[in-house]
Amino acid sequence: MTVHETRSGSGLILPEYASDDASHAPLDSPEYRSSTLRHPKQPLQYLPQYLTEVTGPLLGQDRCGAHDDDLTTQHDGEPLGERIIVSGKVLDSSGKPVPNTLVEIWQANAAGRYLHQGDRHPAPLDPNFSGTGRCMTDAEGNYRFVTIKPGAYPWRNHDNAWRPAHIHFSLFGQAFTQRLITQMYFPGDPLFHQDPIFNSVRDEKARERMISRFDLDSTEPEWALSYKWDIVLRGPQATVFEDEEEEDDD
């Protein structure tokens, strides 16, 4: 990946990565209708990052509660749906593990409904499932969540539009200004071909990197199936990330 420097109006020299429009979705994807209204229309303005932006708040283990990594134990009862384990590694461009990174997830419940005031899909809410979790990667870059497999849901983008089952991932560096967002999908989903968000990534190999793999070896017998998904931050095998301007509950 090509890197060059950009000088901002304040004289600050910032690294800039060459745009990869084949592996990453363009900000304006006409098939994803809301992006036409929401993508930036003016050139980005570089703002200097002072001590506050690059050193705080500290995003460490104290940000994670006792049940944050197990979305099935956050309430008095068990949620409905298929219990699954989602785990993997966070890696840099050279394949080295990235330790002590805050990973957050959010998702729909088994019926395809988000616990969000903007979700009016007439599917039931689950009083025992909030759909959010977080954990820290360990010294080897590993993360692990226990959750419920999310359901597909309609979203009115086009005729008979349904989103494939997916889990949103957010990764933080050392501060809120260092954040990457992506989505993980499940293998063999029949809705891939008609989903404009998934297909806005034009590189087929990059799309495949957004799909987890079923892993029988890490299942827990008579308890939960398991899916593996590694997140690569940069380089030719990088995971596809969203721009924060495009983030929503879709």
Side-chain angles (χ1 to χ4, degrees):
M1 182 175 290
T2 304
V3 182
H4 60 276
E5 292 181 342
T6 298
R7 185 179 294 274
S8 70
S10 63
L12 181 68
I13 297 177
L14 301 169
E16 185 175 286
Y17 292 85
S19 177
D20 182 358
D21 292 334
S23 299
H24 295 268
L27 293 178
D28 183 13
S29 299
E31 294 82 6
Y32 179 15
R33 294 191 314 187
S34 63
S35 71
T36 301
L37 299 175
R38 296 191 341 230
H39 79 278
K41 304 297 195 300
Q42 301 296 326
L44 297 179
Q45 298 296 313
Y46 291 98
L47 299 175
Q49 294 186 0
Y50 297 106
L51 188 64
T52 299
E53 284 77 26
V54 299
T55 62
L58 296 177
L59 303 174
Q61 187 62 49
D62 59 344
R63 295 277 173 171
C64 300
H67 300 285
D68 283 358
D69 60 349
D70 188 343
L71 284 68
T72 69
T73 60
Q74 295 174 351
H75 298 273
D76 292 337
E78 290 192 70
L80 298 174
E82 177 186 345
R83 187 189 296 111
I84 60 172
I85 300 166
V86 177
S87 63
K89 287 180 175 289
V90 177
L91 305 167
D92 66 14
S93 58
S94 62
K96 295 180 180 179
V98 181
N100 305 317
T101 292
L102 180 64
V103 181
E104 295 182 333
I105 62 171
W106 66 97
Q107 62 169 92
N109 65 20
R113 180 86 181 266
Y114 285 96
L115 184 61
H116 190 280
Q117 62 181 3
D119 190 344
R120 293 293 182 249
H121 172 31
L125 288 171
D126 188 337
N128 292 310
F129 190 76
S130 299
T132 59
R134 58 173 48 172
C135 73
M136 297 292 296
T137 58
D138 65 14
E140 299 301 321
N142 296 298
Y143 74 88
R144 182 180 183 274
F145 291 100
V146 178
T147 185
I148 296 297
K149 190 172 183 180
Y153 56 84
W155 63 302
R156 300 181 180 180
N157 182 78
H158 53 276
D159 182 52
N160 199 20
W162 292 78
R163 294 261 19 239
H166 61 279
I167 297 176
H168 297 264
F169 274 73
S170 169
L171 293 91
F172 286 97
Q174 298 301 311
F176 285 125
T177 57
Q178 303 167 355
R179 187 188 186 199
L180 295 172
I181 302 168
T182 188
Q183 296 182 20
M184 186 206 85
Y185 297 87
F186 294 87
D189 197 307
L191 295 172
F192 284 151
H193 75 283
Q194 61 86 67
D195 181 52
I197 296 181
F198 180 77
N199 289 293
S200 64
V201 178
R202 288 166 287 182
D203 183 350
E204 181 179 358
K205 292 183 177 179
R207 290 198 302 270
E208 291 174 354
R209 293 197 294 271
M210 295 191 292
I211 303 172
S212 61
R213 61 180 176 86
F214 173 70
D215 184 54
L216 185 63
D217 291 339
S218 58
T219 62
E220 296 200 13
E222 302 182 29
W223 192 74
L225 297 179
S226 180
Y227 293 87
K228 287 286 187 180
W229 192 58
D230 292 340
I231 303 170
V232 183
L233 300 182
R234 290 201 182 277
Q237 299 300 314
T239 302
V240 177
F241 295 103
E242 304 171 8
D243 289 282
E244 287 197 52
E245 290 84 358
E246 292 299 313
E247 178 192 353
D248 67 3
D249 288 326
D250 290 332

